[in-house]
Amino acid sequence: MRTINPNKLPIFDSHAHYDDEAFSNDLDSLIGDIKQKGVVGIINCGVNYESSKKSILLSEKHSIFYSAVGVHPSDIYEGKNLDVTVMSHLVSHPKVVAIGEIGLDYHWNTFPREVQIKWFEDQIKFAKENSLPVIVHDREAHNDTLEILKELHPIGVVHCFSGSAEMAKEVLKLGMYIGVGGVVTFKNARKMVEVIKMLPLDRLLLETDAPYLSPEPFRGKRCSSDLIYFTASKIAEIKGITIEDVLNASLSNTKTLFGIEV
Ligand code: NI
């Protein structure tokens, strides 16, 4: 097994869920460990109001954390509308850097499509009113996602991008970024390899979605932000550049998009 990040290149994870119960037993020691492996920043994404609050608490406790607050399409509060009072309170915190994760999930379809679309649109509008970028979840909902992004034109990232190279082109035209996680290292990642080939480095954001989607050779195990090293390594191989180029580009893009100084 290769050593993880032997040269301590700076790793920024633009999308993770450290408030997940998978981390409840050893979070403090894990944070110490991944900082040793070069992790300099993490955006923890809320999936509902409660986890958004937990995300903010994490960012108060550990300096490497920043927060995104929002309601995931599988966590919509049935029958209710977006609570702008709660959201306004959350975004007033200085470490909140984005609205997310928000979007459409037609794989699980936990809520009807029209309900998901309403919440997605309302949260994009809220992000724009507050001059914040969005972190977009799109699972098996490429056409509707693209249509809404074209119509409302937020700044932000399509996280864990799973569309085609054609869709990536459309996302880039909108000025948005493409989030790439461990999936690109999987054997069946042919479509994602095509996306990486055409993706300009100045639009790439690295991410984990921890505790999910560990890159190879850790597929199936709990993911943590240091494993981005393997994702960056695969991207470097596809593009014929160095891991350092990939990590530096992603770090610089993360700073630009989210207005973060690390
Ligand atoms: Ni996520």
Side-chain angles (χ1 to χ4, degrees):
M1 184 88 55
R2 277 182 296 168
T3 313
I4 298 173
N5 200 7
N7 297 325
K8 304 282 180 290
L9 302 168
I11 291 174
F12 199 111
D13 185 353
S14 66
H15 189 117
H17 301 278
Y18 282 94
D19 57 299
D20 190 281
E21 61 183 20
F23 296 109
S24 55
N25 289 328
D26 62 345
L27 185 61
D28 288 352
S29 63
L30 179 69
I31 302 292
D33 181 50
I34 62 177
K35 277 162 104 175
Q36 292 297 315
K37 290 177 177 151
V39 176
V40 296
I42 300 164
I43 297 176
N44 199 76
C45 295
V47 295
N48 54 42
Y49 299 138
E50 275 315 303
S51 89
S52 296
K53 284 176 199 161
K54 284 185 194 163
S55 185
I56 290 175
L57 288 176
L58 270 178
S59 73
E60 287 175 345
K61 190 169 176 205
H62 301 278
S63 60
I64 61 168
F65 276 105
Y66 299 84
S67 306
V69 298
V71 180
H72 185 285
S74 300
D75 269 64
I76 292 165
Y77 299 84
E78 202 168 8
K80 291 191 178 173
N81 293 318
L82 181 70
D83 192 330
V84 177
T85 311
V86 172
M87 288 296 281
S88 299
H89 180 71
L90 294 172
V91 298
S92 65
H93 193 280
K95 288 196 89 176
V96 171
V97 295
I99 300 301
E101 60 178 292
I102 62 175
L104 304 173
D105 196 314
Y106 295 172
H107 176 78
W108 293 110
N109 272 318
T110 315
F111 297 99
R113 290 183 179 192
E114 61 273 20
V115 176
Q116 295 189 38
I117 287 171
K118 170 90 167 71
W119 276 76
F120 186 29
E121 291 179 339
D122 284 353
Q123 291 187 93
I124 292 176
K125 288 173 191 160
F126 180 83
K128 290 179 71 175
E129 281 159 22
N130 287 278
S131 307
L132 285 169
V134 292
I135 296 174
V136 176
H137 172 101
D138 157 27
R139 187 153 184 204
E140 296 172 24
H142 303 324
N143 289 342
D144 285 357
T145 300
L146 200 52
E147 205 174 295
I148 291 168
L149 294 177
K150 278 181 179 168
E151 191 189 315
L152 296 180
H153 236 292
I155 55 165
V157 56
V158 179
H159 117 83
C160 201
F161 187 80
S162 59
S164 61
E166 281 307 305
M167 182 183 175
K169 255 181 230 162
E170 297 293 312
V171 170
L172 294 175
K173 257 192 236 164
L174 294 171
M176 294 183 76
Y177 292 75
I178 303 275
V180 182
V183 172
V184 72
T185 68
F186 297 173
K187 278 204 177 66
N188 56 357
R190 221 173 314 131
K191 200 164 66 167
M192 208 45 218
V193 169
E194 293 309 310
V195 171
I196 295 299
K197 282 183 187 162
M198 59 71 71
L199 180 63
L201 268 188
D202 65 358
R203 297 296 191 82
L204 162 75
L205 291 189
L206 293 170
E207 62 170 62
T208 55
D209 212 15
Y212 312 107
L213 296 174
S214 280
E216 294 288 3
F218 293 94
R219 189 172 182 182
K221 306 233 169 66
R222 184 180 74 169
C223 191
S224 52
S225 303
D226 52 315
L227 299 186
I228 276 182
Y229 186 73
F230 296 97
T231 304
S233 165
K234 182 68 189 184
I235 294 170
E237 183 194 314
I238 296 167
K239 288 183 110 44
I241 55 178
T242 66
I243 299 178
E244 190 170 8
D245 290 337
V246 176
L247 289 172
N248 283 341
S250 171
L251 175 65
S252 156
N253 299 338
T254 304
K255 286 171 158 179
T256 305
L257 176 60
F258 299 104
I260 290 171
E261 274 309 318
V262 292

